[in-house]
Amino acid sequence: MRLLISSTSSGAGKTAIAQALQAYQAWRRQPVWPCQDWLSPEQSLAERWQSVQQSDACFLEAPGCLGTLVAPELTVADLAQAWRLPVLLVVSAQMDWPGQAIAMAALAQQRQLPLLGVILNQVTTADRVAQESFQLLTGIPVLGTFPAGAAQAAIAEQAAIVRNWELEHLPGFLPAIATV
């Protein structure tokens, strides 16, 4: 299975989350790799799709958010829809994160994308009210949080953080913690 890791904006921490998920999968002895250069401008869309299909289990890191243009009339959301990619949304836990996340959830819903859940990145305090409000308004689960500074942590520490996430919402890709 392939998983598109998108965000509410550039700099939200998609790369850190992808690395932490890779560390977790390596800990489980079920490695998964990032699809490198999947949006290489030197390739046609058909060639890009062929390169993505060559990997059975991979993370595709979106450039920016679902609304980011990848061609003059094509967004990341359009590609995710055409290629039937499930989406994991990474949100930087800044002051107005729920509004940004709700906007991305609305775009995903408009494009009928399977938005599997949200990971809050760069968390300094746990704002349960905002998380619960987001989940109530969108029906999309907040799967976990990634503390501020965790991107610089050792791989084993990152895998330990991911083990606390509610990964059962990512069926067929990252099995439920209970089965590990």
Side-chain angles (χ1 to χ4, degrees):
M1 180 178 192
R2 292 152 198 90
L3 178 67
L4 177 68
I5 300 176
S6 188
S7 67
T8 51
S9 64
S10 292
K14 296 179 302 284
T15 301
I17 299 305
Q19 289 171 344
L21 286 168
Q22 281 181 270
Y24 171 74
Q25 286 296 93
W27 172 80
R28 292 185 65 243
R29 293 190 174 92
Q30 294 182 347
V32 64
W33 296 271
C35 292
Q36 300 295 330
D37 300 324
W38 72 281
L39 284 177
S40 171
E42 294 84 35
Q43 295 179 318
S44 69
L45 287 177
E47 290 171 323
R48 294 175 197 179
W49 176 235
Q50 286 177 347
S51 68
V52 167
Q53 285 184 309
Q54 291 175 0
S55 182
D56 291 332
C58 70
F59 299 134
L60 292 91
E61 187 178 325
C65 67
L66 291 173
T68 298
L69 291 172
V70 294
E73 295 182 13
L74 191 68
T75 65
V76 170
D78 295 328
L79 282 183
Q81 181 184 33
W83 295 351
R84 296 187 175 139
L85 296 171
V87 178
L88 177 65
L89 186 64
V90 176
V91 179
S92 180
Q94 303 303 315
M95 193 154 99
D96 64 345
W97 77 262
Q100 295 173 357
I102 289 168
M104 285 301 107
L107 178 55
Q109 183 180 26
Q110 178 192 34
R111 294 289 201 277
Q112 300 177 337
L113 300 177
L115 183 51
L116 304 178
V118 169
I119 300 294
L120 293 178
N121 189 29
Q122 303 164 353
V123 174
T124 55
T125 60
D127 185 354
R128 298 298 303 163
V129 174
Q131 290 180 37
E132 290 169 7
S133 294
F134 171 78
Q135 291 176 125
L136 180 67
L137 289 167
T138 64
I140 298 165
V142 175
L143 304 178
T145 61
F146 203 61
Q152 289 75 37
I155 290 175
E157 292 175 46
Q158 291 180 1
I161 292 168
V162 175
R163 285 195 296 271
N164 292 318
W165 293 351
E166 297 176 30
L167 297 178
E168 66 273 9
H169 294 282
L170 303 178
F173 195 73
L174 300 169
I177 299 298
T179 63
V180 176

